[in-house]
């Protein structure tokens, strides 16, 4: 400790100012001069001789400063200043190096920040790795993740020990009444213990009491902190007051702490009621509950899954009619939330790493090119007596200035990139709101590029200073040690082209998939169509009669608006994977499928006019009409897939079917009146399910989507449509208003995002590789100028020189192509699941990528090659 | 390389000379060079290019200390004096030097080769 203090004191004391050194020098020279004068010399000569004994004063000063270890700070400052001056002498190179570093650092950091948050980092709940989704699965029907029924859930809850708790939740939009008009809020009905399971804490008031949940309808609600602040001014007095949700009154009993809502952005929690509502013939068949669980302490997911398999098998045995082939699947909640974006995100991240690698190699390449210039400068300075350590330090300082500037720029770009990415990303990318710049990644990326630049920056410094200066000055850059660097750089170029090729192929594959998807005929006409979501509340529209009346006046009033070509309603236009419906039985083919293996059929209710409004073609028969009265036989239109699967070989119109299995007299038979074309409403890559469209006039539903086809621009209809709905029912909120076109585009938004980014990465990689090969070829040509000159003087054809240099460049690119091809095949296999409408090893994509790569390589080599061919023999021989 | 080693040896010698010169009393840099010259009857001349770096190095190591004072003709000058540590170091360096000189002398004054073969056979 004492020694350390002493050192520090000495370090501080040791800081001798230049002025003091100067004064000491002056004193010495004066004394010496005075002595010389005494010995008889005249004034001028005495001064000259006195100075001469010091040799170079500059060098002397440096030696004095070096003698004091503490001078290093000043040295560093001076080195950096020299470094900046050196860089300013070669601005293009500096810009290229700084730009490359910045690009590499920012791309990797920005992408990783998003990927990490979206796909990798744990969910924000306490011990979130214990949280699992509990799904019903039915492999025979191709259903892997389905909701479950209340009786199933109760059985699971009773039986499980692997899950310490398990709860249901049913998210749905609710209308919150207020003085400023109704507002839609994200509501969720939860079963007992949901808050404790997720880890959501209540900051004011309380959660639900036991008797409030799972029984009859209890009108209590917990609101989110966000809603508490936005609607109630963060005034705790809201506790105990009543709010109107979907026209029912709820007492606010608690406010949840911010940040721990599940599903995210939930604004209102209400208890799940299981005692009321429509009585189902078999409640076990009504699959409507989403389930989450928390693994018991020390229980692995696999062990819990084994237990669930046992429970599932027992339930299958106990309830063979409904649970045939039905199992239970546990899935980490993280996977449920992050879902299918996982792979694309990782592909993007790998691409960013690839770009960073190429960028780093390029920096190394550029710095090695610099080395050629610098090595002569260094040799000169070494010959003039500069010490080796000093020179190395100086080269390091130059590199550090380049890397530092690039790093700072990269950090700024990364921050901007994260903002841009979150803005450009599709809104359905999960957890996007949590994304921020990841400082750990930023520092890693910085360290990687800076480290690489320092290492490769040092190569010229160490090599040069080890070789005798004379050799370098004589050889002027053609020594054998330079040959080694040419080989190293050729390896770099090959590596770069290999990586660039992989990126090109990946981008190309995804781009073709995207184009294929966009080219898929959705089966409906999205142009000039508007869709408006409405959700009729239970209290205001308690029965079918009320809902039918609403639907009727809706169609009447909208249909007479100017520019409206057709209008109709459907229960939900765009559907996701988890849809309602079930198996059916055809009257004339009751035993077509074994119980439990019947394919699932999607069910929608459509109004008269819907098929026209949506632009769907009726293949045979007709659509539902007003004349199909409520008391008549219920009618249904089926799609072509339904016909293929259930009615193969039969005339569909006139056939009758029942949901599930017929059960005697009570069976509700539907009569098929028409067939429509298949539609891909779950997105172009989703398989088409068999679908049934019942008449909304006969069986009006609570949720409906109005589709309005315009004769012109669909958006122009918006004000009139809004006004019409408000006229029919001023308290009816519109849940969603969009054009079918934008909705269709949204379904591809995620892919478009990934394709764009990957495309940018691929182009960046190719550009960097081009810079790399250009640098190498330009360097080689520079080294061989003299040789080319001699050959030209001896009568070599210019064209031959051109071809030779080009050939060399193409050879490197071809090497990259060969290695990259192998890598690309592997990568293509990995992303096979993301592809649509083409094989992983697609000849067109691979061919196009190869052609592009070679073309870019040729273009990049053309300038150096031309320079080789246009060497002036005389000049080359004189200067070379 | 060879050049380096010679410089290093010289450096050590310069340090020893400076410490010895300062042990006779505080002095400024120019005075130190004069003193060494005088003491060696004009044989040893410490190059100014080595003298000052050596003085600063010794100061940095705490073997001498420097103070701005007045010279004999009343000019501001940096005056160096030896520290206790410096004096101790002078002692050890001096003994090392004596050993070195002795060794040099015994080699240089030798008249016949040592009997190496006898030693080798003894091993």
């Amino acid at each position: 400790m004492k020694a350390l203090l002493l050192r520090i004191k000495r370090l501080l004391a040791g800081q001798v100012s230049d002025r003091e050194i100067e004064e000491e020098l002056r004193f010495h020279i004066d004394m010496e001069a005075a002595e010389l004068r005494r010995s008889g010399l005249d004034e001028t000569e005495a001064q000259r001789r006195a100075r001469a004994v010091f040799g170079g004063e500059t060098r002397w000063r440096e030696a004095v400063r070096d003698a004091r270890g503490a001078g290093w700070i000043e040295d560093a400052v001076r080195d950096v200043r020299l470094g900046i001056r050196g860089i300013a002498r070669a601005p293009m190179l500096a810009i290229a190096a700084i730009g490359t570093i910045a690009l590499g650092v920012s791309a990797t950091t920005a992408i990783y920040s998003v990927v990490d948050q979206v796909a990798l980092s744990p969910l924000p709940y306490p011990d979130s790795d214990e949280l699992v989704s509990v799904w019903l699965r039915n492999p025979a029907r191709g259903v892997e993740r389905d909701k479950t029924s209340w009786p199933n859930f109760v059985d699971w809850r009773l039986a499980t020990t692997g899950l310490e708790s398990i709860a249901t939740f049913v998210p749905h939009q609710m209308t919150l009444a207020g003085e400023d008009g109704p507002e839609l809020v994200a509501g969720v009905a939860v079963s007992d213990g949901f808050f404790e399971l997720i880890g959501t804490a209540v900051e004011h008031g309380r959660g639900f009491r036991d008797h409030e949940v799972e029984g009859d309808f209890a009108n209590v609600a917990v609101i989110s902190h966000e809603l508490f602040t936005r609607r109630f001014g963060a005034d705790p007095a809201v506790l105990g007051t009543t709010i109107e949700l979907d026209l029912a009154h709820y007492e606010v009993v608690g406010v949840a702490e911010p940040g721990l809502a599940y599903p995210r952005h939930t604004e209102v929690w209400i208890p799940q009621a299981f005692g009321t509502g429509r009585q189902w013939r078999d409640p076990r068949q009504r699959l409507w509950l989403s389930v989450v669980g928390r693994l018991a302490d020390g229980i692995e997911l696999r062990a819990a899954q084994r237990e669930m398999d046992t429970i599932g098998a027992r339930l299958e045995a106990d309830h063979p009619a409904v649970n045939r082939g039905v199992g239970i699947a546990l899935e980490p909640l993280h996977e449920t939330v992050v879902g299918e974006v996982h792979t694309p995100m990782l592909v993007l991240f790998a691409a960013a790493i690839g770009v960073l690698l190429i960028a780093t190699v390029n920096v190394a390449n550029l710095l090695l090119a610099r080395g050629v210039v610098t090595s002569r400068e260094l040799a000169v300075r070494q010959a003039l007596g500069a010490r080796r350590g000093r020179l190395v330090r100086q080269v390091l300082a130059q590199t550090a200035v380049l890397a530092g500037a690039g790093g700072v720029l990269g950090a700024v770009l990364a921050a901007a990139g994260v903002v841009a990415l979150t803005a450009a990303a599709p809104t359905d990318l999960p957890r996007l709101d949590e994304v921020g710049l990841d400082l750990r990644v930023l520092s890693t990326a910085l360290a990687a590029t800076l480290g690489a630049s320092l290492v490769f920056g040092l190569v010229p410094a160490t090599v040069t200073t080890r070789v005798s200066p004379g050799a370098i000055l004589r050889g002027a850059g053609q020594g054998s040690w330079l040959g080694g660097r040419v080989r190293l750089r050729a390896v770099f170029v090959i590596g770069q082209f290999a990586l660039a090729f992989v990126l090109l192929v990946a981008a190309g594959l995804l781009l073709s998939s995207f184009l294929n998807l966009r080219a898929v005929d959705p089966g409906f006409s999205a142009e000039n169509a508007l869709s408006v979501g409405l959700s009729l509340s239970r209290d205001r529209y308690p029965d079918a009669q009320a809902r039918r009346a609403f639907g009727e006046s809706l169609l009447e009033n909208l249909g007479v608006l100017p520019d409206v070509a057709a209008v109709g309603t459907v229960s939900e236009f765009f559907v996701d994977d988890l849809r309602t419906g079930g198996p059916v039985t055809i009257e004339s083919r009751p035993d077509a499928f074994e119980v439990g293996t019947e394919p699932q059929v999607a069910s929608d209710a459509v109004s008269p006019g819907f098929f026209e409004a949506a632009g769907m073609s009726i293949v045979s028969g007709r659509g539902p009409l007003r004349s199909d009265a409520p008391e008549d036989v219920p009618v249904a239109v089926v799609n072509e897939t339904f016909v293929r699967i259930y009615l193969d070989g039969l005339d569909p119109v006139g056939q009758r079917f029942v949901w599930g299995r017929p059960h005697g007299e009570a069976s509700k038979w539907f009569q098929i009146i028409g067939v429509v074309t298949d539609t891909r409403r779950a997105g172009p890559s989703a398989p088409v399910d068999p679908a049934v469209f019942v008449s909304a006039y006969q069986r009006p539903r609570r949720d409906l989507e109005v589709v309005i086809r315009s004769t012109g621009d669909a958006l122009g209809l918006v004000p009139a449509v809004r006004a019409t709905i408000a006229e029919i029912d001023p308290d009816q909120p519109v849940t969603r208003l969009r054009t079918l076109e934008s909705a269709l585009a949204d379904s591809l938004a995620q892919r478009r995002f990934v394709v764009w980014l990957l495309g940018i990465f691929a182009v960046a990689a190719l550009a960097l590789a081009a810079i790399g090969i250009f640098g190498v070829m330009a360097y080689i040509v520079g080294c061989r100028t003299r040789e080319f000159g001699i050959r030209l003087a001896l009568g070599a054809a210019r064209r031959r020189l051109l071809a030779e240099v080009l050939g060399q460049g193409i050879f490197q690119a071809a090497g990259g192509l060969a290695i990259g091809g192998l890598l690309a095949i592997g990568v293509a296999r990995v992303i096979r699941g993301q592809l649509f409408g083409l094989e992983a090893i697609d000849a067109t994509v691979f061919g196009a990528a190869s052609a592009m790569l070679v073309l870019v390589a040729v273009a990049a080599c053309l300038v150096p090659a031309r320079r080789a061919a246009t060497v002036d023999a005389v000049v080359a021989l004189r200067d070379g | 390389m060879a050049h380096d080693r010679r410089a290093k040896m010289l450096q050590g010698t310069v340090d020893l000379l400076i410490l010895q010169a300062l042990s006779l009393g505080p002095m400024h840099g120019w005075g130190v060079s004069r003193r060494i010259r005088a003491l060696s009857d004009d044989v040893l001349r410490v190059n100014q290019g080595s003298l000052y770096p050596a003085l600063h190095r010794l100061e940095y190591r705490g073997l001498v200390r420097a103070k701005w004072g007045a010279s004999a003709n009343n000019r501001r000058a940096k005056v160096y004096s030896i520290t206790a540590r410096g004096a101790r170091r002078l002692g050890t360096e001096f003994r090392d030097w004596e050993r070195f000189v002795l060794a040099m002398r015994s080699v240089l004054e030798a008249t016949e080769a040592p009997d190496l073969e006898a030693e080798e056979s003894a091993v």
Side-chain angles (χ1 to χ4, degrees):
Chain A
M1 190 61 205
K2 213 170 145 191
L4 183 72
L5 281 177
L6 191 71
R7 273 189 93 95
I8 292 173
K9 205 171 115 194
R10 229 181 269 146
L11 188 75
L12 295 176
Q15 289 290 8
V16 181
S17 74
D18 282 357
R19 198 181 47 79
E20 277 184 39
I21 293 174
E22 199 59 34
E23 191 170 349
E24 197 173 15
L25 168 75
R26 192 69 35 221
F27 176 78
H28 189 107
I29 290 175
D30 288 352
M31 294 299 281
E32 190 75 32
E35 173 96 358
L36 288 167
R37 267 201 309 279
R38 273 197 295 282
S39 70
L41 289 174
D42 69 64
E43 177 67 32
T44 342
E45 183 61 12
Q47 275 286 340
R48 198 191 62 75
R49 294 257 294 263
R51 271 172 196 285
V53 293
F54 275 92
E57 282 179 32
T58 320
R59 198 173 158 202
W60 177 84
R61 267 186 221 107
E62 208 169 277
V64 170
R65 220 180 273 112
D66 274 351
R68 328 187 59 100
W72 63 271
I73 297 178
E74 299 162 43
D75 283 345
V77 171
R78 214 150 18 116
D79 285 341
V80 167
R81 208 179 299 143
L82 270 174
I84 293 174
R85 213 178 301 152
I87 288 164
R89 273 203 302 270
M92 285 315 290
L93 201 102
I95 289 170
I98 291 174
T100 303
I101 295 174
L103 184 71
V105 167
S106 57
T108 324
T109 309
I111 287 288
Y112 186 79
S113 298
V114 173
V115 171
D116 178 58
Q117 197 51 60
V118 170
L120 301 178
S121 75
L123 299 173
Y125 314 110
D127 296 321
S128 62
D129 53 329
E130 294 173 1
L131 293 174
V132 292
S133 293
V134 191
W135 299 107
L136 206 70
R137 59 193 291 266
N138 192 340
R141 289 204 176 117
V143 178
E144 286 301 327
R145 306 191 308 175
D146 207 346
K147 296 173 190 172
T148 192
S149 68
W150 169 242
N152 270 344
F153 168 72
V154 171
D155 288 338
W156 297 353
R157 183 163 61 184
L158 274 176
T160 182
T161 56
L163 299 177
E164 76 175 25
S165 55
I166 178 168
T168 71
F169 65 99
V170 179
H172 56 153
Q173 302 249 297
M174 301 174 99
T175 311
L176 174 63
E179 281 158 21
D180 309 329
E183 180 192 4
L184 272 178
V185 293
V188 54
V190 301
S191 71
D192 193 22
F194 183 83
F195 286 121
E196 293 76 8
L197 191 156
I198 295 293
T200 314
V202 174
E203 64 173 0
H204 300 290
R206 60 175 178 86
F208 301 136
R209 300 211 167 106
D210 289 353
H211 66 88
E212 288 168 343
V213 225
E214 298 182 19
D216 287 339
F217 210 59
N219 293 59
V220 287
V222 172
I223 61 174
S224 74
H225 178 87
E226 210 269 315
L227 187 66
F228 176 60
T229 316
R230 178 161 53 87
R231 277 295 285 256
F232 305 105
D235 182 3
V238 72
L239 291 174
T241 62
T242 298
I243 56 173
E244 195 183 305
L245 280 171
D246 282 350
L247 297 176
H249 292 91
Y250 290 80
E251 182 193 344
V252 178
V253 295
V255 177
E257 265 186 6
L260 293 180
Y262 184 82
R264 288 187 69 74
H265 309 304
T266 299
E267 291 172 295
V268 175
W269 289 265
I270 57 168
Q272 182 69 60
F274 292 110
T276 58
R278 189 151 68 109
Q279 285 304 309
W280 279 64
R281 186 161 38 76
D282 183 356
R284 209 172 272 278
Q285 276 191 331
R286 187 187 173 209
L287 308 179
W288 61 300
L289 298 166
S290 300
V291 179
V292 284
R294 186 177 276 279
L295 293 171
D297 277 344
I299 299 290
E300 297 273 324
L301 180 70
R302 205 173 298 168
Q305 179 63 61
R306 273 198 301 275
E307 187 200 47
M308 279 300 172
D309 290 343
T310 321
I311 295 172
R314 212 190 62 222
L315 289 179
E316 187 178 351
D318 290 352
H319 309 276
V322 282
N323 277 354
R324 164 78 61 94
V326 169
I328 308 165
L330 297 182
E331 175 188 55
L333 192 64
H334 185 268
E335 257 170 54
T336 314
V337 173
V338 174
E340 56 188 20
V341 301
H342 200 259
T343 314
M345 283 289 133
L346 290 186
V347 167
L348 276 185
F349 182 51
I353 294 274
V355 171
L356 180 66
L357 264 175
I358 295 177
T360 307
V361 168
N362 239 18
V363 172
N365 235 337
L366 288 166
L367 288 173
L368 284 178
R370 246 192 90 69
V372 186
V373 186
T374 318
S375 60
R376 282 178 215 179
E377 185 191 324
L378 290 181
V380 170
R381 294 192 45 191
Q382 200 177 13
L384 294 180
R387 283 186 306 110
R388 193 175 154 213
R390 198 54 216 290
L391 291 180
V392 170
R393 225 160 53 198
Q394 213 168 305
V395 174
L396 261 184
Q398 274 193 16
T399 317
V401 168
L402 278 179
V408 169
L409 190 62
V412 172
L413 287 179
V418 168
V419 175
L421 277 179
T422 42
T427 44
D428 59 340
L429 202 62
R431 311 177 66 194
L432 205 59
D433 51 328
E434 299 169 38
V435 171
L437 186 65
D438 193 313
L439 291 179
R440 286 167 308 150
V441 188
L442 180 62
S443 44
T444 313
L446 279 176
T449 32
L450 303 201
S453 4
L454 289 185
V455 167
F456 290 108
L458 265 184
V459 171
T462 48
V463 172
T464 309
T465 49
R466 212 177 298 131
V467 176
S468 91
I472 292 174
L473 293 175
R474 262 196 321 277
Q478 287 174 31
S480 62
W481 60 280
L482 283 173
R485 295 201 314 182
V486 170
R487 273 194 297 281
L488 179 61
R489 297 184 61 189
V491 169
F492 281 169
V493 166
I494 291 174
Q496 282 184 316
F497 271 84
L499 279 172
F501 184 70
V502 173
L503 280 174
L504 275 178
V505 166
L509 287 175
L510 290 181
L511 179 66
S512 317
S513 301
F514 178 74
L515 294 178
N516 286 348
L517 281 171
R518 228 178 40 174
V520 167
D521 178 11
F524 58 89
S525 159
E527 293 82 34
N528 303 331
L530 198 66
S531 119
V532 182
L534 297 171
S535 188
L536 305 181
S537 74
R538 193 185 301 271
D539 290 25
R540 188 174 281 252
Y541 300 98
D543 52 19
Q545 189 60 43
R547 294 199 290 272
R548 183 177 301 120
F550 177 86
E552 277 302 281
S553 53
L554 194 68
L555 292 182
E556 262 167 41
N557 289 305
L558 288 175
V560 297
L561 286 179
D563 298 330
V564 168
V567 60
T569 68
V570 61
S571 19
E572 192 184 4
F573 196 87
F574 289 99
V575 289
D576 56 19
D577 314 337
L578 302 173
R579 46 197 310 192
T580 52
V584 299
T585 306
I586 306 291
E587 192 179 25
S588 58
R589 283 185 175 172
D591 302 317
F593 296 95
E594 255 184 72
V595 174
T597 64
E598 311 96 331
Q600 291 278 27
V601 177
S603 157
D604 284 294
V606 298
S607 74
F610 168 74
F611 295 125
E612 291 77 25
M616 290 162 68
S617 324
I618 294 176
V619 180
S620 64
R622 60 172 179 90
L625 296 172
R626 280 280 308 271
S627 52
D628 301 314
E631 59 279 7
D632 291 351
V633 176
V635 296
V637 174
V638 297
N639 68 356
E640 289 170 311
T641 302
F642 183 97
V643 173
R644 204 172 54 245
I645 290 177
Y646 275 104
L647 299 171
D648 198 26
L650 296 176
D651 177 17
V653 177
Q655 297 289 335
R656 302 209 308 162
F657 71 87
V658 69
W659 289 102
R661 289 274 157 186
H663 34 275
E665 288 299 306
S667 301
K668 196 72 156 180
W669 292 100
F670 284 76
Q671 175 144 25
I672 295 173
I673 53 168
V675 178
V676 288
T677 47
D678 283 341
T679 50
R680 295 173 185 274
R681 294 185 293 154
S685 61
V688 178
D689 288 331
V692 157
F693 302 90
V694 301
S695 163
Y697 187 65
Q698 289 179 318
R699 316 177 84 77
R701 294 195 184 171
R702 198 175 298 287
D703 293 309
L704 48 108
E705 198 158 347
V706 192
V707 177
I708 305 144
R709 177 157 299 278
S710 162
T711 51
D713 177 29
L715 280 175
L717 287 176
V718 170
V721 168
R722 275 191 184 282
T724 308
I725 293 171
E727 216 170 276
I728 300 168
D729 181 355
D731 289 332
Q732 178 59 51
V734 165
T735 58
R736 204 169 40 201
L737 203 158
R738 55 187 180 173
T739 62
L740 289 191
E741 238 170 348
S742 70
L744 198 60
D746 282 352
S747 72
L748 286 174
Q750 232 169 59
R751 278 178 178 273
R752 179 180 291 119
F753 181 63
V754 171
V755 165
W756 259 106
L757 279 182
L758 206 56
I760 290 171
F761 281 153
V763 169
L766 197 60
L768 288 174
I771 294 175
I773 199 169
F774 171 79
V776 172
M777 294 316 294
Y779 170 66
I780 290 174
V781 169
C783 286
R784 292 173 62 189
T785 304
R786 196 189 173 87
E787 178 210 316
F788 289 142
I790 293 173
R791 285 169 60 185
L792 281 173
L794 293 178
R798 288 184 185 278
R799 221 178 36 227
R800 208 188 131 75
L801 296 188
L802 184 85
E804 192 179 313
V805 176
L806 271 186
Q808 211 171 339
I810 292 171
F811 180 74
Q812 291 181 8
L817 203 68
I819 298 171
L822 291 177
L823 289 174
I825 288 173
V827 168
R829 293 239 162 90
V830 171
I831 61 172
R832 185 189 290 158
Q834 302 293 316
L835 304 182
F836 181 83
L838 74 168
E839 290 298 308
I841 315 300
D842 182 78
T844 318
V845 169
F846 273 72
S850 312
M852 208 152 147
L853 200 74
V854 171
L855 222 65
V856 165
V858 169
C861 294
L862 213 54
V863 174
R866 280 179 58 91
R867 203 185 316 145
T870 53
V871 163
D872 185 329
V874 178
V875 176
L877 291 175
R878 194 183 56 214
D879 298 346
Chain B
M1 267 312 170
H3 174 81
D4 276 1
R5 205 174 298 132
R6 200 168 63 221
K8 199 166 184 182
M9 197 181 86
L10 198 68
Q11 192 180 74
T13 327
V14 169
D15 286 1
L16 181 59
L17 290 175
I18 292 172
L19 286 177
Q20 171 63 20
L22 286 177
S23 73
L24 305 175
M27 188 48 79
H28 44 66
W30 186 72
V32 170
S33 76
R34 298 297 304 178
R35 192 177 271 174
I36 292 171
R37 228 164 110 180
L39 286 172
S40 67
D41 286 333
D42 226 11
V43 172
L44 295 176
R45 290 185 179 212
V46 179
N47 174 5
Q48 325 304 344
S50 333
L51 172 70
Y52 284 92
L55 276 170
H56 282 261
R57 184 169 54 243
L58 291 173
E59 186 195 346
Y60 178 64
R61 289 188 194 148
L63 301 179
V64 305
R65 85 171 64 83
K67 222 163 111 185
W68 284 92
S71 72
N73 56 359
N74 234 358
R75 266 195 63 168
R76 215 169 99 84
K78 199 175 181 187
V79 177
Y80 296 88
S81 55
I82 193 164
T83 63
R85 258 174 71 125
R88 277 201 301 280
R89 173 64 66 87
L90 178 59
T92 55
E93 295 257 330
F94 184 62
R95 278 192 296 280
D96 287 350
W97 174 253
E98 275 189 322
R99 263 206 301 281
F100 177 72
V101 170
L102 209 68
M104 284 293 287
R105 177 170 296 148
S106 49
V107 173
L108 296 178
E109 292 177 354
T111 50
E112 59 185 69
D115 192 355
L116 282 179
E117 299 209 348
E119 276 178 34
E120 270 169 22
S121 57
V123 174

